[in-house]
Amino acid sequence: MIRTEDLTKRFGQLTAVDRLKLSIGHGEIFGLLGPNGAGKTTTIRMLTTLAKITAGRAWVRGHDVAKAPLAVKRVIGVAPQGLNLEIELTAVENLDYHGRLHGMPRHERRARASELLVFVDLSGKKDVPVDQFSGGMKRRLLIARALMHRPQILFLDEPTVGLDPQIRRKIWGLIQALKSQGVTVLLTTHYIEEAEALCDRVGILRKGRLIALDAPAGLMENVGKYAVEAEGQNGMDIRFFKERAEAVSYAGGIRRDVTIRKTNLEDVFLSLTGEKIGE
Ligand SMILES: Nc1ncnc2c1ncn2[C@@H]1O[C@H](COP(=O)(O)OP(=O)(O)OP(=O)(O)O)[C@@H](O)[C@H]1O
Ligand SMILES: [Mg+2]
């Protein structure tokens, strides 16, 4: 559904996305994970025709993004990182406006908007102006708007940024429901748990480069499924082990306080880069 070959974006001297190679299948939830400035938004902006590709190529459902941007726009929905709702309009007016831009007839816009407001649990707020919405409500409306014209591919840039864990889980539920309806989802996040809980596969981006790509479990197994943390002279020392028995035996030989735990995607990033993704 989405494919890129050496996709590159340069801003002057800065290479924001560097020869990215991706292939995302039908019905997959694919996550781009990386710290601030890694190039996640720039990648989404190129794939959604909003930013010009400097070099390389990209296809969305077989359409060349540079050559057939209108064909691409018809099959995708986009929920951008910055909330760009019309805040003076109500929830239902925002959806209706988007439907009009996509040439949907009035009766279809009405039916689809009602259906989506139920889906994102905002039916009770349909006539409330968006400037009275909380952050979580705005994020959910943004997803509903992206779905208005029934796209097969959905791009979600940081769909849960700044939301509390309860609302975050609610949005994860929505994304999983979309997958079961056959929608392909490309999302970006810098939340480790989000990538782990939600994504079928994760690409880790750092300074524009894809440094790892696999299912979360595969990424963690590659590093070693068990982590042993011990207080070191310069902060925490972490070692990774493939087998639990090895981890236990190593921990047993340490005189300081030690913790044995399961490896997570933060550890994967740390072991690849020596840095933390952070929040
Ligand atoms: N229009 C622009 N002009 C110049 N530089 C830009 C522009 N847009 C992005 N950049 C730079 O490109 C790099 C990648 O930015 P991008 O927004 O894609 O990162 P990101 O991974 O989405 O980060 P975040 O987690 O903060 O959203 C950054 O160094 C950023 O400063
Ligand atoms: Mg971003």
Side-chain angles (χ1 to χ4, degrees):
M1 299 297 272
I2 300 170
R3 193 159 74 80
T4 69
E5 248 168 40
D6 289 337
L7 186 66
T8 299
K9 178 73 181 179
R10 283 190 284 270
F11 295 108
Q13 297 290 308
L14 175 83
T15 304
V17 177
D18 194 0
R19 288 165 290 161
L20 185 64
K21 189 169 161 50
L22 285 179
S23 177
I24 300 171
H26 177 87
E28 189 170 10
I29 301 179
F30 187 93
L32 278 177
L33 175 71
N36 292 132
K40 304 180 296 293
T41 296
T42 305
T43 301
I44 289 217
R45 288 179 54 82
M46 284 192 284
L47 292 173
T48 57
T49 78
L50 297 173
K52 204 163 172 273
I53 294 171
T54 309
R57 289 180 78 185
W59 296 264
V60 170
R61 207 159 177 271
H63 305 293
D64 186 307
V65 175
K67 291 184 184 149
L70 291 178
V72 169
K73 277 191 181 158
R74 271 195 285 274
V75 295
I76 64 171
V78 188
Q81 181 170 1
L83 298 156
N84 64 348
L85 296 159
E86 298 295 331
I87 58 165
E88 285 171 20
L89 299 184
T90 65
V92 75
E93 285 165 351
N94 265 277
L95 298 184
D96 191 72
Y97 180 64
H98 184 85
R100 276 209 317 259
L101 290 179
H102 276 270
M104 293 169 74
R106 189 179 150 84
H107 66 277
E108 205 183 313
R109 296 200 304 268
R110 274 210 187 149
R112 183 66 173 156
S114 308
E115 180 189 14
L116 285 171
L117 286 167
V118 171
F119 178 62
V120 299
D121 200 12
L122 287 175
S123 295
K125 303 278 179 191
K126 77 183 186 43
D127 296 320
V128 175
V130 168
D131 57 5
Q132 295 175 27
F133 276 24
S134 68
M137 286 157 69
K138 285 182 186 153
R139 284 279 159 208
R140 281 182 280 147
L141 184 62
L142 202 64
I143 293 175
R145 189 190 63 182
L147 291 167
M148 191 64 190
H149 56 291
R150 302 182 189 278
Q152 297 140 331
I153 304 171
L154 189 62
F155 292 89
L156 303 173
D157 196 358
E158 306 274 355
T160 67
V161 71
L163 302 180
D164 63 46
Q166 199 189 342
I167 304 289
R168 187 174 292 166
R169 272 168 213 286
K170 197 162 181 169
I171 291 182
W172 293 356
L174 290 178
I175 297 170
Q176 274 153 345
L178 291 170
K179 176 188 164 78
S180 68
Q181 293 164 25
V183 176
T184 303
V185 179
L186 172 57
L187 64 87
T188 74
T189 186
H190 53 269
Y191 294 125
I192 305 297
E193 328 85 77
E194 182 153 295
E196 260 180 52
L198 198 56
C199 298
D200 298 311
R201 283 191 308 149
V202 172
I204 300 183
L205 266 188
R206 178 178 181 255
K207 296 185 178 164
R209 295 225 175 103
L210 193 66
I211 56 172
L213 190 160
D214 198 352
L219 290 169
M220 294 184 275
E221 263 163 43
N222 204 28
V223 170
K225 273 198 293 190
Y226 300 93
V228 178
E229 274 185 345
E231 197 98 43
Q233 279 164 348
N234 315 306
M236 280 289 181
D237 285 335
I238 308 185
R239 299 251 327 238
F240 303 106
F241 297 89
K242 303 257 176 212
E243 303 295 334
R244 199 180 144 73
E246 293 171 37
V248 171
S249 138
Y250 172 75
I254 295 181
R255 298 253 157 85
R256 291 156 285 152
D257 276 352
V258 292
T259 312
I260 304 180
R261 58 170 178 79
K262 288 271 175 70
T263 300
N264 58 41
L265 287 180
E266 180 78 76
D267 299 320
V268 173
F269 191 79
L270 182 73
S271 80
L272 289 169
T273 66
E275 296 163 9
K276 288 200 138 203
I277 294 184
E279 285 277 289

